[in-house]
Amino acid sequence: MALSPMMQEYLRCKEEYKDCILLYRVGDFYEMFFDDAVTASKELELTLTGKDCGLEERAPMAGVPWHAVDTYIDRLVNKGYKAAICEQVEDPKTAKGLVKREVIRVVTPGTNLAPESLEEDRNKFLMCVVLVGERYGIAASDISTGAFFVTEVERPRVMMDEVQRYRPAELICNETLLLSGFPADELKDRQGIITQTLPARYFSEENSGEALREHFHITHIDGLGFRDGSLSAVASGALMRYLADTQKNGLPQITGISLYTTGNFMMLDTAAIRNLELTETMREKRKTGSLFGALDRTKTAMGARMLRNWIERPLIDKEAIEERLGAVEAMLGDEISRAELREYLNPVYDLERLAGRVAYHSANPRDLIALRSSLEMLPHIARLTAELGGKRLGALAEKFDDLSDICTWITDAIVEDPPLAMKEGGIIKEGYHPEVDGYRQAKSEGTQWLAQLEAREREATGIHTLKVKFNRVFGYCIEVTNSFKSMVPDRYTRKQTLTGAERYTTPELKELEDRILGAQDKLYTLEYELFADLRDRIGAEIGRLQKTAAHVAEIDALASLAEVAMRYHYVRPSLNTEGRIVIRDGRHPVVERMTPHDGFIPNDTVLNNEKKRISIITGPNMAGKSTYMRQSALIVLMAQIGSFVPAKEADIGIVDRIFTRVGASDDLASGQSTFMVEMTEVANILRNATKNSLLILDEIGRGTSTFDGLSIAWAVIEYIANPEIIGAKTLFATHYHELTELEGKIPGINNYCIAVKERGDDIVFLRKIVKGGADKSYGIQAARLAGVPEAVLSRAKEIVEQLSDADITEAVKTVTGKKGGRRKAIHYDDVDLQQMTLFDAATDEDVLRELDGIDISNLTPVEALNVLYKLQNKLKNRWKA
């Protein structure tokens, strides 16, 4: 048996897109057949039916309605599938025989533009990585905005850092990359990044160069800034070819390429971005609780994306940083203008993605109205930016294009509240086009003509129940009930028989029908053509739209930094290139907001390239060592993105990299233990840190035996402290109190500890960094706070007394050549003790009064525990005072 013509056409299309689920347009549905139907029915929970196709068995079939297809495609793509959309490319009314169909677009994880798949404050990247020899070419594009970034690196770890920075939805690569051990499965399982290899032809210099020349209409790729033999050019061309093959359009939103080197910005590896919680928290992967969440007060989606980009790529050029700081200061100094500016930014839609939809020909009439309402705000934004002054804001105001001509085009053409559908009329304003007005008049007058005809026919026939009706299938007709059927004149032609009536037509009614329906069809067609023409005119200005969107985004990001600085009392940092970091009363930008009743304790940080290169920080668990080190790193990073900082005063020496080794976690998926993960990160730091880097090292060596751990930590400090090898500024937290012996033995090392008050078997964390080393970790006291049973604590005290004179002390004496006992512990004088009593002791009435004033409904669980702990301590201290 032979296949039906339609099924033959389907299989022809399917043969070209074997790796996709083919959605085949049939009438008002997109149908899937055979294996695609079986897969889709399971993944999308669709009913699996069958269709006669000319074979003995019916072909499995599943379908989705045309108006909901984007939702179903989004679900398929999110599950890792690619979807090929096969559309009718002929008008069924004029087609002879089978309607011609073609695949108009292939939707992949990196090219899925469904609104529900896009995050407002994050770009959605498609990434290409090509490996040749020991070099990597990298290209990443967000086709929803037209962004296209390109670089080239040499080390695998740097390549992986770039992958983590972009967090692409989809990554394409050459086969060599996968064979090199690229962790494609791990990226898919942990982060949902889909990796696929492309045929070798995509990565040839000739084909990739041709793709770039065709798209950008140039004769040689050096016009884009590439050098001959550049792997970044190969990656860019391969990515551009892949986009052309899948999107089937000219990609006009990609108007240029941004070439960069990793040395243009502060280097932040994957560990630093994760440990410092720059854009999301480590555990919940949420924005709230991250630095980005703390600084983001932007009013627009593109402003939020730009701020995120700044945080992930801090500047290292002093002049560029000063320009941003100057802009923030100008906005901070004029609160009224800043507030007014933010009011005008608030109604601005996502200009970057609206421009992308226009260029993609997917913008509907309501998108153009959103664009127009946004453009109406631009003259006010430009005016206020110019009034605020400053070097950077002045430059933005001078280059600002308010796009008033495009705003006028839309205002003149599109009605205020257009329908969502593009081919059912109601889009074009009255007076915009004379033919539209003429067809509308014919359509509206047609109602009067029909009413007049009905009245004449009733009078002529004597049938007072006669009605003129409309049916989508049969058009206009005269309906007469059966009781009056005998009175129907001979000039009526029967059109349809109903149960209780007959329907007729007349030559006059037929003529009116042609005039009315013809006017409506022509009106809808003309309105769509005028709308499409306007959309194309706007699309031709895509470059201007993108430049203005970038300017608005930058203004919004700067205003956000100024708003945060004002609200939380940040100060402008001074910058130096001498390697000096001096922070007075620094605060953690996130933790301070989570500390109730303004209870965050500020601390100083002093580091330089000479006598204060390395700070060894000791103190008990939960005392705040990690918070202190992270806040110091975050203040430096904030200064280098151009933000004011949470401190009383800050002088920041520009750093080229921030490295962190914080916390402990097993990497079970790759078979690495806590200690192995730790040593891998330490090895990366020791290989790549420079004298201009800032290192944050927490608990190095704790994942192994005491002797081994102490030895490794000791050797690491010696290595970092040597200015001939690294000489980097370092904050080093440890429980190995023996390391405090290095102060005075190795130049540049200084001891600090977290101040603690002992009250019998209890301790109070003062959260203050003071000079000197701690003599013990207070682990037993911390265990008591955590609720460990008293019997265990008592036994632990006995054991620790027995071990206090263990061999490790003698070993340390041998290594340092120092004789004598342990370093004397820090004790606070009676004045300190009295101050603690004054602040912490309380009467029953005080506690009850504070308890009564707590708004429980607005407390998080963590805040509730902190408040309870504080009240409990007050009562305990009252009895001990």
Side-chain angles (χ1 to χ4, degrees):
M1 296 179 67
L3 287 166
S4 64
M6 191 200 81
M7 198 55 69
Q8 291 178 28
E9 180 73 6
Y10 168 82
L11 290 176
R12 181 190 65 78
C13 292
K14 179 63 182 175
E15 182 66 21
E16 296 181 31
Y17 297 91
K18 292 179 180 179
D19 60 340
C20 303
I21 290 180
L22 184 66
L23 291 98
Y24 192 78
R25 182 70 180 263
V26 181
D28 288 339
F29 281 79
Y30 285 92
E31 304 288 3
M32 291 155 281
F33 301 102
F34 300 109
D35 290 344
D36 284 356
V38 175
T39 300
S41 67
K42 291 178 181 178
E43 299 287 7
L44 302 177
E45 300 174 347
L46 301 174
T47 301
L48 186 66
T49 61
K51 181 177 180 64
D52 292 329
C53 61
L55 300 177
E56 290 184 5
E57 296 184 3
R58 288 160 60 87
M61 180 178 77
V64 297
W66 69 270
H67 56 80
V69 69
D70 288 341
T71 301
Y72 287 104
I73 289 175
D74 181 55
R75 288 172 59 187
L76 278 175
V77 171
N78 286 339
K79 292 175 182 288
Y81 296 97
K82 293 194 291 185
I85 305 171
C86 189
E87 188 61 84
Q88 297 172 172
V89 293
E90 280 185 309
D91 187 343
K93 296 178 182 178
T94 59
K96 296 180 180 179
L98 195 66
V99 178
K100 186 178 179 182
R101 293 173 174 84
E102 290 179 1
V103 172
I104 61 166
R105 187 178 167 219
V106 177
V107 183
T108 70
T111 61
N112 182 14
L113 298 180
E116 52 267 35
S117 76
L118 300 175
E119 296 180 59
E120 281 195 351
D121 59 9
R122 183 194 291 270
N123 287 96
K124 184 170 191 174
F125 284 109
L126 168 66
M127 192 172 186
C128 178
V129 180
V130 54
L131 170 61
V132 176
E134 296 183 353
R135 294 185 302 138
Y136 299 85
I138 296 173
S141 178
D142 177 0
I143 63 170
S144 72
T145 66
F148 202 111
F149 300 102
V150 182
T151 192
E152 191 171 323
V153 300
E154 292 186 353
R155 292 191 300 274
R157 190 173 186 111
V158 179
M159 178 272 295
M160 285 303 301
D161 288 340
E162 291 300 294
V163 171
Q164 290 300 322
R165 194 189 313 278
Y166 286 111
R167 292 282 290 275
E170 179 182 2
L171 188 148
I172 57 177
C173 63
N174 61 344
E175 192 172 359
T176 306
L177 182 71
L178 279 190
L179 294 176
S180 71
F182 183 79
D185 292 338
E186 183 182 341
L187 289 173
K188 180 181 179 181
D189 294 340
R190 291 192 170 193
Q191 300 176 29
I193 298 174
I194 305 297
T195 302
Q196 67 162 322
T197 58
L198 296 182
R201 68 176 184 275
Y202 278 86
F203 302 101
S204 72
E205 283 192 38
E206 181 181 351
N207 287 342
S208 59
E210 182 182 7
L212 293 172
R213 290 192 295 271
E214 286 178 358
H215 180 81
F216 292 107
H217 309 292
I218 54 177
T219 57
H220 199 278
I221 61 171
D222 59 6
L224 297 170
F226 293 115
R227 65 180 189 279
D228 289 336
S230 167
L231 272 186
S232 54
V234 173
S236 301
L239 182 55
M240 192 65 73
R241 178 66 68 197
Y242 179 75
L243 285 171
D245 290 346
T246 56
Q247 303 311 290
K248 311 285 185 183
N249 65 31
L251 300 164
Q253 72 272 38
I254 300 177
T255 57
I257 284 177
S258 297
L259 278 165
Y260 70 95
T261 65
T262 51
N264 291 346
F265 306 96
M266 179 198 292
M267 284 289 292
L268 294 166
D269 63 10
T270 305
I273 292 173
R274 180 188 68 243
N275 292 332
L276 295 177
E277 298 184 307
L278 295 185
T279 57
E280 63 183 20
T281 57
M282 281 193 284
R283 292 185 179 177
E284 296 87 0
K285 305 299 179 186
R286 296 189 310 165
K287 174 183 172 182
T288 303
S290 68
L291 179 65
F292 179 42
L295 297 183
D296 184 17
R297 294 295 181 273
T298 55
K299 294 292 188 178
T300 68
M302 60 256 190
R305 290 195 296 272
M306 180 165 283
L307 180 59
R308 176 191 286 269
N309 186 52
W310 286 358
I311 291 172
E312 292 178 336
R313 297 177 185 276
L315 301 171
I316 57 174
D317 179 75
K318 186 173 182 287
E319 184 177 348
I321 299 170
E322 293 285 12
E323 278 192 17
R324 275 192 200 164
L325 287 170
V328 173
E329 186 170 46
M331 289 184 167
L332 191 62
D334 191 340
E335 188 172 348
I336 294 175
S337 294
R338 185 182 74 250
E340 187 179 358
L341 175 64
R342 284 166 56 80
E343 283 295 318
Y344 283 119
L345 285 167
N346 195 49
V348 176
Y349 287 84
D350 194 337
L351 290 176
E352 288 180 334
R353 284 182 171 155
L354 280 175
R357 288 174 63 81
V358 168
Y360 237 81
H361 301 122
S362 61
N364 59 46
R366 291 184 187 176
D367 287 330
L368 295 196
I369 291 299
L371 178 60
R372 187 210 66 192
S373 65
S374 301
L375 300 185
E376 288 174 342
M377 300 296 108
L378 298 188
H380 305 290
I381 293 171
R383 172 180 56 81
L384 288 164
T385 302
E387 289 175 1
L388 283 165
K391 184 177 180 181
R392 183 59 194 158
L393 292 179
L396 286 171
E398 186 178 343
K399 296 183 290 184
F400 201 95
D401 180 358
D402 65 11
L403 305 172
S404 57
D405 52 340
I406 297 176
C407 185
T408 301
W409 296 348
I410 301 172
T411 302
D412 291 346
I414 308 297
V415 297
E416 289 297 318
D417 187 19
L420 193 60
M422 292 182 278
K423 296 186 177 181
E424 296 180 9
I427 300 172
I428 302 301
K429 268 186 178 180
E430 184 177 347
Y432 180 73
H433 196 280
E435 283 188 61
V436 170
D437 295 342
Y439 289 138
R440 280 195 181 139
Q441 184 178 7
K443 185 172 177 287
S444 61
E445 289 180 352
T447 305
Q448 298 176 8
W449 297 339
L450 292 170
Q452 292 169 0
L453 173 66
E454 184 179 88
R456 288 198 303 270
E457 290 299 322
R458 283 182 179 179
E459 184 177 352
T461 61
I463 304 172
H464 64 275
T465 59
L466 179 150
K467 292 181 180 179
V468 175
K469 291 193 172 183
F470 176 76
N471 178 285
R472 284 185 176 273
V473 177
F474 294 98
Y476 288 100
C477 60
I478 297 172
E479 183 175 294
V480 179
T481 59
N482 288 340
S483 56
F484 292 97
K485 188 165 58 174
S486 60
M487 299 173 64
V488 172
D490 294 338
R491 59 189 175 86
Y492 278 26
T493 302
R494 183 181 287 108
K495 199 170 187 180
Q496 185 184 12
T497 300
L498 304 177
T499 302
E502 295 284 345
R503 287 180 171 175
Y504 304 90
T505 187
T506 67
E508 185 180 4
L509 179 58
K510 182 63 178 171
E511 182 183 347
L512 280 177
E513 180 182 62
D514 291 342
R515 291 173 63 187
I516 294 168
L517 294 183
Q520 181 172 293
D521 289 344
K522 290 175 182 176
L523 172 63
Y524 291 172
T525 300
L526 181 57
E527 283 202 63
Y528 176 72
E529 288 175 354
L530 291 171
F531 167 75
D533 178 65
L534 174 61
R535 187 173 60 188
D536 289 344
R537 286 170 64 199
I538 297 170
E541 305 296 330
I542 186 73
R544 293 173 60 202
L545 279 165
Q546 289 177 332
K547 286 180 182 178
T548 296
H551 292 157
V552 172
E554 184 173 352
I555 292 166
D556 190 19
L558 291 167
S560 176
L561 294 178
E563 185 71 16
V564 171
M566 181 275 296
R567 189 175 301 183
Y568 298 104
H569 311 294
Y570 290 2
V571 299
R572 176 171 179 166
S574 58
L575 303 174
N576 68 79
T577 56
E578 289 79 47
R580 183 176 63 253
I581 297 176
V582 180
I583 301 169
R584 303 295 183 193
D585 286 345
R587 312 185 306 275
H588 193 293
V590 178
V591 177
E592 74 162 333
R593 299 187 201 175
M594 299 179 179
T595 306
H597 314 302
D598 296 325
F600 189 88
I601 305 299
N603 274 297
D604 299 342
T605 302
V606 180
L607 293 168
N608 57 43
N609 291 335
E610 297 171 356
K611 295 182 180 180
K612 294 184 180 294
R613 269 198 306 275
I614 297 180
S615 297
I616 295 179
I617 305 166
T618 50
N621 288 314
M622 304 190 301
K625 298 190 301 297
S626 295
T627 298
Y628 167 71
M629 293 194 299
R630 284 188 174 102
Q631 87 181 28
S632 300
L634 289 175
I635 287 172
V636 170
L637 185 144
M638 288 171 67
Q640 290 189 222
I641 70 170
S643 170
F644 280 32
V645 298
K648 190 174 183 180
E649 177 185 341
D651 183 19
I652 305 299
I654 295 173
V655 304
D656 60 357
R657 306 166 184 221
I658 293 179
F659 288 102
T660 65
R661 170 52 222 162
V662 178
S665 62
D666 289 348
D667 191 353
L668 299 178
S670 56
Q672 291 187 322
S673 67
T674 299
F675 184 66
M676 192 61 187
V677 172
E678 177 184 324
M679 289 299 100
T680 301
E681 292 185 2
V682 169
N684 174 58
I685 293 170
L686 297 182
R687 285 198 211 97
N688 296 295
T690 73
K691 67 174 183 177
N692 295 319
S693 301
L694 175 62
L695 313 187
I696 306 297
L697 303 177
D698 192 7
E699 309 292 353
I700 297 297
R702 70 177 178 180
T704 186
S705 69
T706 302
F707 275 107
D708 286 352
L710 173 58
S711 302
I712 291 171
W714 192 305
V716 166
I717 291 177
E718 287 183 344
Y719 191 86
I720 293 171
N722 188 339
E724 301 298 322
I725 303 175
I726 298 180
K729 291 173 285 294
T730 305
L731 296 175
F732 193 107
T734 183
H735 282 293
Y736 295 132
H737 302 112
E738 295 75 16
L739 295 177
T740 59
E741 304 293 340
L742 295 176
E743 183 182 53
K745 298 295 181 182
I746 300 176
I749 292 181
N750 296 271
N751 291 332
Y752 296 90
C753 68
I754 306 288
V756 172
K757 279 287 187 184
E758 290 188 74
R759 295 186 179 280
D761 288 337
D762 290 330
I763 54 173
V764 178
F765 299 134
L766 303 184
R767 313 290 184 189
K768 199 71 177 175
I769 296 291
V770 295
K771 193 76 176 73
D775 65 330
K776 56 183 179 179
S777 293
Y778 300 96
I780 294 175
Q781 290 89 336
R784 174 174 280 106
L785 290 176
V788 174
E790 192 62 38
V792 175
L793 297 173
S794 298
R795 177 57 180 154
K797 288 172 66 178
E798 294 175 8
I799 295 172
V800 77
E801 289 173 4
Q802 296 172 17
L803 297 177
S804 60
D805 294 322
D807 291 342
I808 192 168
T809 305
E810 297 303 319
V812 172
K813 293 176 185 176
T814 302
V815 174
T816 60
K818 182 171 182 177
K819 296 181 179 180
R822 290 173 173 268
R823 181 179 296 273
K824 186 178 179 182
I826 294 176
H827 295 288
Y828 296 94
D829 58 29
D830 291 335
V831 175
D832 291 327
L833 189 60
Q834 182 61 31
Q835 287 177 337
M836 284 295 301
T837 303
L838 288 172
F839 284 112
D840 288 347
T843 65
D844 287 343
E845 290 76 17
D846 292 333
V847 174
L848 288 172
R849 192 180 303 111
E850 185 168 349
L851 189 61
D852 184 61
I854 295 171
D855 184 4
I856 297 176
S857 61
N858 287 324
L859 285 181
T860 66
V862 173
E863 289 173 341
L865 284 172
N866 285 332
V867 171
L868 185 61
Y869 174 71
K870 179 181 177 183
L871 294 176
Q872 186 182 51
N873 274 342
K874 285 189 175 183
L875 289 174
K876 284 182 179 179
N877 291 330
R878 184 198 59 171
W879 292 112
K880 294 174 182 178

